[in-house]
Amino acid sequence: MKMRTLTSFAGVVALVVLTGCQGTPKEKTPIHVNPNMDMQPKYLPQAESDFFANGSTNQPKVEGTVARGQLKEDDAYYRGMDPRTGKPVTENPVPLTEEGLLRGQERYNIYCTVCHGATGNGKSLVVERGFLPPPDFHTDLIRNYPDGHIYDVITNGIRNMPSYAAQIPVEDRWQIVHYLRALQRSQHATITDVPEDLRDRLR
Ligand code: HEC
C-alpha cells in the first residue's frame, strides 16, 4: 500500500473508533471522561427553574429601579435635547478634539458616504443606482441646523433616511456631527481660515 492510502485508511479507522458510538442508545450511563465545565450549576436564559416563584430563570425588573449603566439621564448627550427648552441642543456636548474629529471622519466615511458622498454634497454611488438623492449638506438650511438636530437624524432617521442608532454608538454620533461641521466649513472657507504664513501659496 502506498503511504497516502495508508494514511487515509488510518484516518477512516480513527473516525469510526472515535465517533462510532455517539448517539447509540445504551443501558448504562456513559463514562464521562472529563466532566469539567460540561455540567455547571448555572441558570441559562429563559430556562425552567423551580427556585423562583414564576418558574423561570428570567426575572422581571424590580419596579422603580434602573440597571447599572442604563440611567442615560443626560438629555443633551443621549437625546441631543436641551431639557430646559425641549429643543435640539445648538452645541455638540462632546468637546472637539483632533482625535475625535478623525474618528468622526472615519465613521462618516463608513456609514454616511454611500448616500451623502464623501464631501456631503449628496452625490453618491447609491444615488447613481437610483436611490432617492439626499440633500446637499452645504445649503444654508442644513448649515444652520442645530448640532442636536443632526444627532437626532443619525439616531432616529428622518423621512427616507433610516436610523443609524443600532450601528453607531452615541459617542461616535457626536464625532460624526463634528466632522459634518468640518465638511460644511471646508466648502465655505475663506482666505482668513488659512494660517497666515500659508496664505501666500494660495494667492
Ligand atoms: C441609505 C442612505 C443614507 C445614509 C447611509 C445616510 N443618509 Fe442621511 N439622508 C438620506 C436621505 C435620503 C435623506 C433625505 C431624507 C428625506 O428628506 O426624505 C437624508 C437626510 C439627512 C440629513 C438632513 C436631515 C434634514 O432634517 O433635512 C442629515 C443631516 C443626514 N442625512 C445626515 C446623515 C449622516 C450624518 C449619516 C451617517 C451617519 C447619514 N445621513 C447616512 C440618506 C442616507
Side-chain angles (χ1 to χ4, degrees), residues 108 111-112 114-116 126 131-135 137 141-142 145 149-150 153-154 158-162 164 168 176 180:
Y108 177 91
Y111 293 108
C112 319
V114 274
C115 293
H116 287 276
V126 295
F131 191 74
L132 290 153
F137 288 152
L141 176 77
I142 298 190
Y145 279 156
H149 176 72
I150 296 172
V153 171
I154 306 175
I158 189 164
R159 298 178 293 267
N160 288 313
M161 178 180 148
Y164 278 81
I168 310 175
I176 291 176
L180 206 154

Side-chain angles (χ1 to χ4, degrees), residues 82-93:
D82 186 332
R84 286 162 304 174
T85 61
K87 293 204 177 111
V89 288
T90 46
E91 272 209 22
N92 197 325

Side-chain angles (χ1 to χ4, degrees), residues 5 27 31 35 37 53 74 77 103 106 113 116 123 138 153:
T5 332
E27 299 276 295
I31 304 161
M37 308 188 76
D74 187 342
Y77 183 69
R103 171 84 184 167
E106 182 198 59
T113 306
H116 287 276
K123 297 196 171 68
H138 310 299
V153 171

Side-chain angles (χ1 to χ4, degrees), residues 43 45-49 51-62:
Y43 276 157
Q46 306 200 2
E48 215 178 303
S49 153
F51 180 77
F52 292 112
N54 69 352
S56 164
T57 55
N58 276 27
Q59 295 303 298
K61 282 183 192 159
V62 178

Side-chain angles (χ1 to χ4, degrees), residues 17-48:
V17 169
L18 293 174
T19 61
C21 307
Q22 288 210 346
T24 352
K26 294 173 213 74
E27 299 276 295
K28 280 191 245 159
T29 316
I31 304 161
H32 207 115
V33 186
N34 181 9
N36 279 0
M37 308 188 76
D38 281 357
M39 283 163 271
Q40 299 172 28
K42 72 174 180 193
Y43 276 157
L44 294 170
Q46 306 200 2
E48 215 178 303

